[in-house]
Amino acid sequence: MTTLDVEELDDRVVVTLRRPEARNAINAAMAAELHEVCAALEAKPRLLLITGADGTFAAGADIGELRERGRDQALQGINRRVFDRIAKLPLPTVAAVDGYALGGGAELAYACDLRLASPTAVFGNPEPGLGILAAAGASWRLRELVGGSVAKQVLLAGKRLDADDALRFGLVAEVVPAGELITRAHALLDRMSRSGALALRLTKLVADGDGHPLTDDLAQAVLFETDDKRDRMDAFLAGGRS
């Protein structure tokens, strides 16, 4: 890995974006390395934490590379494909955002299931100012996260959401001091890791779907037959905690 620091633990993988010369801007090499991380998590599902080094999450996509890309590269969806893959990972993903998350950096954060922010976090999509659009998921993910009106303010009018805005609009779950951001993100992952892995996986699958009672019933039918369900409910009935 040349653009990422990757720490693999038993129940989670921690990825730190690290391109100090470009404020962690997302280039083709980083996208390729994120695909490698996704492949590992698809083969062995674990929780994922993504953050950025040196007080910046990711200041955008690499403009130097974007300047040279043409129609064929746009149709390849270089960033979109990896962000879609992150969004579809089996177990939950968390973005810990310190500093700027702009352009492609914002879209990477939007693709995660949950986001935590430091007080200096800033989200924005300035792509139209560069003559392009936010084509790696922001045009629809941001609307789902904060609603159509706020999304259009960001996408069309260039509004940037600071940490307070992001919390007020529900884009982030919590704002914590920068020095506590990673610790708090791990605490959130710890809480999720105490849940049943299959229950967590199927809950994410159902929550990300279009919604249908039969889907809920089928997922629940699978879970009702597991030893994990019986063990956890026996512990609860015996006075333990689920």
Side-chain angles (χ1 to χ4, degrees):
M1 297 287 181
T2 62
T3 69
L4 306 176
D5 292 338
V6 180
E7 181 183 8
E8 296 200 38
L9 304 173
D10 288 341
D11 66 343
R12 71 197 62 176
V13 172
V14 181
V15 171
T16 303
L17 312 180
R18 191 177 295 280
R19 291 190 68 217
E21 75 284 1
R23 294 192 299 171
N24 304 331
I26 299 168
N27 63 357
M30 185 180 286
E33 291 179 359
L34 286 169
H35 274 297
E36 292 185 41
V37 172
C38 288
L41 290 171
E42 289 160 354
K44 181 183 177 182
R46 284 160 289 171
L47 302 165
L48 173 64
L49 171 60
I50 301 178
T51 191
D54 303 324
T56 300
F57 185 74
D62 189 296
I63 303 303
E65 283 192 2
L66 288 180
R67 170 64 179 78
E68 301 306 314
R69 290 179 187 172
R71 175 192 59 200
D72 291 344
Q73 288 75 34
L75 291 174
Q76 291 172 17
I78 294 171
N79 286 354
R80 178 194 57 75
R81 287 188 299 109
V82 71
F83 297 165
D84 286 351
R85 197 171 180 183
I86 289 168
K88 294 174 182 175
L89 285 171
L91 289 174
T93 57
V94 174
V97 179
D98 186 22
Y100 287 115
L102 302 177
E107 291 179 300
L108 172 56
Y110 303 157
C112 292
D113 294 307
L114 298 168
R115 287 152 296 280
L116 300 180
S118 77
T120 63
V122 178
F123 299 85
N125 290 96
E127 285 89 343
L130 296 170
I132 59 175
L133 61 84
S139 61
W140 57 274
R141 281 199 179 98
L142 187 58
R143 182 182 68 244
E144 291 182 351
L145 291 169
V146 301
S149 176
V150 175
K152 286 184 178 181
Q153 291 176 54
V154 174
L155 296 170
L156 301 179
K159 179 179 177 64
R160 292 185 176 184
L161 304 179
D162 63 19
D164 290 338
D165 289 334
L167 182 62
R168 184 168 69 255
F169 295 131
L171 180 60
V172 302
E174 191 174 359
V175 176
V176 297
E180 301 173 17
L181 182 61
I182 300 303
T183 299
R184 181 60 187 147
H186 276 293
L188 176 60
L189 292 168
D190 289 342
R191 187 162 72 244
M192 289 191 285
S193 72
R194 291 193 288 270
S195 295
L198 183 58
L200 206 59
R201 184 170 181 173
L202 290 179
T203 298
K204 175 173 176 174
L205 189 65
V206 170
D208 284 343
D210 294 330
H212 192 287
L214 183 57
T215 305
D216 292 1
D217 291 347
L218 290 172
Q220 192 75 295
V222 171
L223 294 170
F224 271 17
E225 294 299 319
T226 62
D227 290 337
D228 187 56
K229 169 248 187 180
R230 285 185 283 271
D231 291 344
R232 287 172 179 271
M233 290 191 176
D234 285 347
F236 180 86
L237 292 171
R241 292 183 176 272
S242 58

